[in-house]
Amino acid sequence: MDNWHKWAELLERVREANPLVHHITNVVVTNFTANGLLALGASPVMAYAKEEVAEMAKLAGALVLNIGTLNATEVEAMLMAGRAANEAGVPVIFDPVGAGATSYRTETARYIAEQIKLAAVRGNAAEIANMIGEPWMIKGVDAGQGSGDVVALAKRAAAKLGTVVAITGKEDVVTDGQATYLIRNGHPLLTKVTGTGCLLTSVVGAFAAVEPDVVKAAVAALAYYGVAAEQAAAEAEKHGPGSFQAAFLDALARIGVDDVKRDGRVEQR
Ligand SMILES: Nc1ncnc2c1ncn2[C@@H]1O[C@H](COP(=O)(O)OP(=O)(O)O)[C@@H](O)[C@H]1O
Ligand SMILES: Cc1ncsc1CCOP(=O)(O)O
Ligand SMILES: [Mg+2]
């Protein structure tokens, strides 16, 4: 049995622990993220006020920071929450939404990574490349070409950022710069529902809340997520993205460790 099969059992640990996952995230995905974590068996809380973010972050099993609809007030709250989480040993998972699209996003993503000790960063290849100042052919990645390039990019980013990096897309890569895993689960319908990347970052947070080895946590999270998407697509793809979104939430709640062990496609690199 591959060692990652043991990690698949983290899903049961999440459901037993029901970890509180504190979010400062974007307005587009808030409701979907909260529902997705409830379906998994975690406890989401979205709290943004500077008067409470430090206190809430210290209570949480993990803190998720997401710059999808960032503004100055929110970024300040993210830094306060992140510093409090660092002090309390609460893992901080970062989603650099749209890094590279505007200088504000790119600079903020880099600044957060400099100021806050991050347990992991989860993004698509373009976002991660822009975080570390590398130009990146989005087309090439979307076409699923050069997965080797994405592996090399993820390793460079992990080394530069000093954290676990998960780059997701047609194939997913998780690495700390040394141990590197490819996860080949998922479905293209995931790209037709907004927030599936953001929710995945939050799912990584829920797994990191129960497993201090964030490579293991992220591999288990991505395999679970991709297998759930495949089951949802089998049910809903004849109907469309709306049915898929509902079926996906149902699958996130329904699937168990055995599904992930049976259908997960994880390979060490
Ligand atoms: N072409 C694809 N085929 C299968 N799964 C995909 C594909 N593109 C993205 N995914 C999956 O969709 C989810 C969201 O990832 P992604 O689209 O990379 O994030 P973002 O929305 O932040 O760009 C991940 O689970 C990823 O594996
Ligand atoms: C459409 C949009 N605009 C700002 S954040 C957001 C959602 C992005 O979600 P994801 O990165 O999961 O696709
Ligand atoms: Mg995203």
Side-chain angles (χ1 to χ4, degrees), residues 46-185:
M46 280 59 178
Y48 298 62
K50 64 180 186 327
E51 293 80 3
E52 69 168 357
V53 287
E55 214 174 324
M56 186 67 80
K58 290 183 175 176
L59 281 179
L63 170 68
V64 172
L65 304 178
N66 177 307
I67 59 168
T69 47
L70 73 168
N71 59 51
T73 307
E74 258 182 40
V75 171
E76 196 44 48
M78 289 183 191
L79 292 166
M80 291 173 73
R83 290 182 185 117
N86 285 168
E87 266 171 46
V90 170
V92 183
I93 316 295
F94 181 46
D95 191 325
V97 181
T102 65
S103 51
Y104 181 38
R105 285 171 186 267
T106 308
E107 286 154 23
T108 301
R110 292 176 184 167
Y111 187 69
I112 288 173
E114 284 162 15
Q115 294 294 311
I116 305 299
K117 179 170 173 23
L118 299 173
V121 181
R122 196 289 323 164
N124 60 50
E127 290 163 343
I128 299 300
N130 281 293
M131 269 198 83
I132 61 170
E134 291 192 15
W136 190 260
M137 270 294 291
I138 294 179
K139 185 90 187 74
V141 175
D142 287 358
Q145 294 150 5
S147 63
D149 298 343
V150 177
V151 171
L153 168 65
K155 285 180 150 180
R156 287 196 302 275
K160 273 194 181 177
L161 299 170
T163 186
V164 171
V165 168
I167 296 183
T168 56
K170 186 172 168 43
E171 294 176 344
D172 299 340
V173 183
V174 172
T175 185
D176 59 3
Q178 302 300 321
T180 302
Y181 293 84
L182 269 180
I183 299 96
R184 290 194 171 92
N185 292 97

Side-chain angles (χ1 to χ4, degrees), residues 17 44 74 79 124 139 147 158-159 210 215 231 237 240 262 266 268:
E74 258 182 40
L79 292 166
N124 60 50
K139 185 90 187 74
S147 63
V210 301
V215 168
Q231 288 202 11
E237 64 184 331
R262 184 190 61 241
V266 178
Q268 184 164 12

